[in-house]
Amino acid sequence: MTERELFDSYNKDVYRTCYYMLRNTQDAEDLCHDVFVIVFRQDWKSVEHIRAWIMRIAMNQCLNLLKRKQSHLKKQSQIQLLHEQTTASVKSVDTIVLEKAAEEEWEDLLKQLPEKLMAVITLRYIGELSLAEIAETLKIPVGTVKSRLHKALKIMRKELEQNQNLWLKGENQFGTH
């Protein structure tokens, strides 16, 4: 496999993971570039599990950047909305609004998670890594991956239920006026 083939095979996964960890397109693009600079400076052809290895480098770069930003900004980072994706098919306004609302709700839920939990959720559902690949990427036991995944989903589920209850109460108040 050539460097170009390696890049073409994994750059979308790396970018997507960086974007969901950082929620900033420019930072994600920069880190994606940095990840492949690091990969190409290593003896990547001798790495047995290349995808997990690359994703571990990406995750470490993301976590390092988040730590640097937190020390400078003290949790004042904002989430940028996803770029409008161009599609060949035309979508109805209702479909676009519903998709945007779902994306925003997902990002709101993710931003409330601690970094360790956000990393596991991002790798599992955005990066589509297996539990074993996540464990290898983060250099933690599979059992820890499972417990973090369970805890993160529990937090997200609880938050969704609270949001739904608030929405329903708002509907009831609106309907009684």
Side-chain angles (χ1 to χ4, degrees):
M1 178 182 295
T2 67
E3 286 181 353
R4 184 75 205 172
E5 291 169 333
L6 181 75
F7 178 80
D8 289 343
S9 296
Y10 298 108
N11 96 44
K12 287 179 183 166
D13 289 338
V14 170
Y15 173 80
R16 188 173 46 232
T17 298
C18 291
Y19 180 81
Y20 276 94
M21 286 296 294
L22 305 171
R23 294 175 189 83
N24 179 293
T25 49
Q26 189 60 52
D27 287 344
E29 288 171 6
D30 292 346
L31 271 188
C32 186
H33 175 264
D34 293 348
V35 166
F36 284 98
V37 168
I38 291 168
V39 167
F40 296 143
R41 287 182 177 167
Q42 305 290 321
D43 184 19
W44 59 270
K45 290 183 179 182
S46 67
V47 174
E48 186 176 349
H49 302 287
I50 192 85
R51 182 172 189 252
W53 179 69
I54 290 172
M55 296 308 284
R56 179 173 51 236
I57 293 170
M59 188 57 64
N60 287 339
Q61 292 295 321
C62 289
L63 292 173
N64 289 341
L65 181 62
L66 285 171
K67 287 176 188 171
R68 284 193 302 270
K69 281 188 170 194
Q70 281 179 354
S71 66
H72 292 298
L73 302 175
K74 292 291 181 189
K75 298 260 185 186
Q76 293 178 339
S77 63
Q78 296 181 337
I79 298 175
Q80 291 187 345
L81 297 176
L82 291 173
H83 280 278
E84 293 297 324
Q85 297 179 346
T86 56
T87 58
S89 63
V90 178
K91 296 178 182 177
S92 71
V93 173
D94 290 345
T95 303
I96 293 169
V97 169
L98 288 173
E99 286 176 355
K100 194 61 132 179
E103 288 173 7
E104 289 173 5
E105 188 172 25
W106 174 254
E107 287 194 12
D108 286 344
L109 290 171
L110 275 178
K111 79 175 183 180
Q112 294 176 22
L113 295 174
E115 286 178 8
K116 289 180 179 182
L117 301 182
M118 182 174 52
V120 172
I121 289 287
T122 301
L123 289 172
R124 182 72 177 125
Y125 296 106
I126 308 303
E128 299 176 353
L129 270 65
S130 69
L131 297 179
E133 288 173 321
I134 296 169
E136 187 173 334
T137 299
L138 298 177
K139 293 193 175 201
I140 58 176
V142 173
T144 304
V145 171
K146 289 178 183 179
S147 68
R148 287 182 186 175
L149 194 57
H150 175 75
K151 185 174 183 178
L153 291 173
K154 185 176 177 181
I155 291 170
M156 292 172 81
R157 188 176 305 113
K158 182 178 178 184
E159 190 62 33
L160 278 173
E161 288 170 358
Q162 287 175 349
N163 290 347
Q164 186 178 19
N165 288 338
L166 289 174
W167 183 79
L168 289 174
K169 285 180 184 176
E171 284 283 310
N172 290 338
Q173 289 174 355
F174 181 74
T176 58
H177 287 113

